[in-house]
Amino acid sequence: MKTYNVKSYRTPLYRDAGFLLKDIPTAQKAFSDEQSLPITPELYIYSRYRNPTVVAAEEYLASIEGSQWSLLCQSGMAAIDIALSVFQRANHKCKWAFFTEIYGGTNSYIDSILVSRRGVDAVRFSPSGEAYSNVEFDSFMTTHKPDVVFFEVISNPMLIVADAVEIIRIAKKYGAAVVVDNTFATPYLFKPLDFGADLVIHSATKYLSGHGNLSAGVVSGNSPELARSAIEYRKLVGHMLSPDDAYRLHDMLKTFNLRINRHFENAATVAKFLSASSKVEKVIFPGMDYHPSHEVASKLFEGRGFGGIVTFDLKGASFEDKQKKCNEFINAVSDSIPLIPTLGDADTILMPVEPVWGDKYPFPGMIRLSLGIENGQEITRVISQGLDAVGS
Ligand code: PLP
């Protein structure tokens, strides 16, 4: 087979399932160094283990996260599975703590996989009212003494911001490992590893890829032992991201800083605009000074923004009236702001809260907006038309 020694500035898209190993000593070294970092070019073995195109995107991600290493996988859920599974041991009753305000899919994974199939003892920490209390978290840790603590920095759809620096400090005081899902805040707003978290995960399907057309997840950390364990787990359960998706993600990451700034600016503009409308009952956005997490968010994010999501509640005389108004708004904006169940897309999209979250948030007039990177004035123009279409 002819090989072409063409120089490319980019890491090429290597679709090979297995890689050419020069001779037996190289093969032996490759297999013995399979889980170590950094990887050198002659040591690639098999794409499910590691792939150069995936590694190039991982190195770029590690520079964004400020981490020693980052590992890509096929989805945010795969990242959560890797990040938690590395702490699981046979003959050891794992007691793991999860904050209640986390992604619904993660809550289902905890119940259906961790608890029901793997016998993990999951304990839950809830906010008191509309915010987490550090004092209550400290006494929760005294009572339960979990081995692992898992939380999200910005919750969804109520946008509760966890006092992450303090939560990590308290968890560490009790000897727990800390895993943070930082999908909503992104490394732009906050980097949990800088404050002692063991692992941080993202659904890269959201802001990191940022175009609503790629599924991926990433786990990052600083510990070499956790890296080895995560590389082994990813390899054996087959959670590896495809080289094609890694190649696309790598390009998308180059505009991450530009895009994220625009998402956050648009969210702040829209939150302000909505709060001036007589048709809106309440705007939920950590940038508003009345939001229960405003103080924590200001301290944690240091002026870089408050996230790209704005949740708002339409006024209405009754449950049914609010439901009707929610429908009217969604229908009126649907050509420009479609109902799509994801977030962090370059286009502004929305989700009604009550039909998706049901009893957990029984607010029929509530809508979650994921602000895109369009012109902010154009988004407010469409939202204004939507509000005009809502009967008074
Ligand atoms: N974590 C958070 C906070 C999410 O919102 C999601 C999905 O919406 C996930 C994890 C799972 O990500 P994925 O859909 O990429 O598996």
Side-chain angles (χ1 to χ4, degrees):
M1 172 93 58
K2 189 168 175 184
T3 55
Y4 294 88
N5 195 17
V6 178
K7 296 269 182 258
S8 169
Y9 170 70
R10 289 163 193 271
T11 305
L13 173 48
Y14 289 96
R15 286 189 170 124
D16 312 53
F19 297 98
L20 192 62
L21 291 163
K22 194 167 73 204
D23 49 25
I24 289 174
T26 312
Q28 276 167 335
K29 179 150 178 50
F31 279 96
S32 72
D33 285 2
E34 206 186 280
Q35 279 148 28
S36 50
L37 285 172
I39 174 109
T40 49
E42 70 283 7
L43 297 183
Y44 285 98
I45 302 172
Y46 189 62
S47 264
R48 177 167 51 78
Y49 300 10
R50 272 198 286 213
N51 172 292
T53 309
V54 179
V55 167
E58 288 173 345
E59 286 172 353
Y60 199 90
L61 265 166
S63 72
I64 293 176
E65 190 68 62
S67 55
Q68 289 297 314
W69 53 267
S70 291
L71 297 176
L72 279 164
C73 49
Q74 324 94 321
S75 66
M77 290 314 298
I80 291 168
D81 185 42
I82 295 170
L84 289 169
S85 299
V86 295
F87 294 104
Q88 195 173 13
R89 294 283 169 275
N91 307 321
H92 173 79
K93 178 79 180 152
C94 298
K95 189 167 194 180
W96 294 351
F98 297 92
F99 281 36
T100 50
E101 303 314 291
I102 55 176
Y103 169 56
T106 311
N107 265 322
S108 303
Y109 165 81
I110 296 164
D111 294 334
S112 305
I113 308 293
L114 297 183
V115 176
S116 303
R117 293 169 196 261
R118 298 195 194 167
V120 168
D121 180 7
V123 285
R124 315 269 180 159
F125 178 68
S126 341
S128 38
E130 294 179 353
Y132 295 113
S133 148
N134 294 341
V135 175
E136 283 180 19
F137 181 59
D138 199 310
S139 66
F140 171 90
M141 292 299 289
T142 316
T143 310
H144 295 287
K145 299 196 174 46
D147 317 312
V148 175
V149 169
F150 178 101
F151 69 96
E152 292 180 10
V153 175
I154 304 181
S155 82
N156 173 33
M158 302 315 252
L159 312 179
I160 300 175
V161 180
D163 191 351
V165 173
E166 271 305 287
I167 287 161
I168 296 167
R169 190 189 63 74
I170 296 165
K172 289 278 144 195
K173 186 173 84 177
Y174 290 90
V178 179
V179 179
V180 181
D181 180 340
N182 204 22
T183 301
F184 275 61
T186 81
Y188 187 88
L189 283 187
F190 182 68
K191 296 190 172 104
L193 298 175
D194 288 355
F195 297 90
D198 295 272
L199 295 174
V200 57
I201 75 97
H202 298 273
S203 165
T205 315
K206 312 293 170 9
Y207 294 106
L208 291 175
S209 62
H211 293 73
N213 59 2
L214 187 146
S215 272
V218 59
V219 186
S220 303
N222 290 331
S223 144
E225 292 75 35
L226 286 176
R228 267 192 293 280
S229 206
I231 290 169
E232 180 192 48
Y233 185 84
R234 178 182 64 171
K235 172 189 116 177
L236 295 177
V237 296
H239 274 334
M240 178 56 97
L241 185 67
S242 79
D244 290 66
D245 282 339
Y247 189 91
R248 293 172 59 220
L249 175 63
H250 195 160
D251 275 345
M252 292 160 167
L253 288 171
K254 291 176 188 169
T255 55
F256 170 70
N257 273 345
L258 286 174
R259 287 186 283 105
I260 205 73
N261 240 315
R262 186 63 167 259
H263 283 292
F264 294 174
E265 266 172 32
N266 282 344
T269 305
V270 165
K272 201 164 157 212
F273 177 80
L274 284 167
S275 63
S277 167
S278 59
K279 305 229 171 124
V280 173
E281 177 88 44
K282 189 175 177 190
V283 176
I284 298 169
F285 180 63
M288 308 306 276
D289 57 11
Y290 56 78
H291 188 278
S293 295
H294 182 65
E295 211 177 302
V296 167
S298 305
K299 185 181 73 174
L300 216 58
F301 306 151
E302 298 172 321
R304 289 183 291 277
F306 292 96
I309 306 291
V310 177
T311 303
F312 69 101
D313 198 15
L314 288 164
K315 275 187 188 155
S318 62
F319 194 93
E320 289 71 28
D321 188 39
K322 286 185 176 195
Q323 232 168 14
K324 182 172 147 287
K325 286 176 171 155
C326 186
N327 272 327
E328 285 167 349
F329 180 88
I330 290 175
N331 289 338
V333 300
S334 64
D335 281 349
S336 309
I337 307 183
L339 192 170
I340 301 182
T342 182
L343 61 105
D345 195 318
D347 296 316
T348 299
I349 54 178
L350 62 74
M351 287 246 282
V353 170
E354 192 269 335
V356 176
W357 280 271
D359 286 352
K360 187 161 187 198
Y361 303 112
F363 306 116
M366 201 176 264
I367 293 170
R368 183 193 79 184
L369 282 172
S370 165
L371 279 308
I373 58 172
E374 309 94 330
N375 178 297
Q377 279 179 344
E378 178 54 21
I379 305 171
T380 49
R381 191 190 61 76
V382 174
I383 291 174
S384 171
Q385 279 179 356
L387 291 171
D388 288 347
V390 170
S392 37

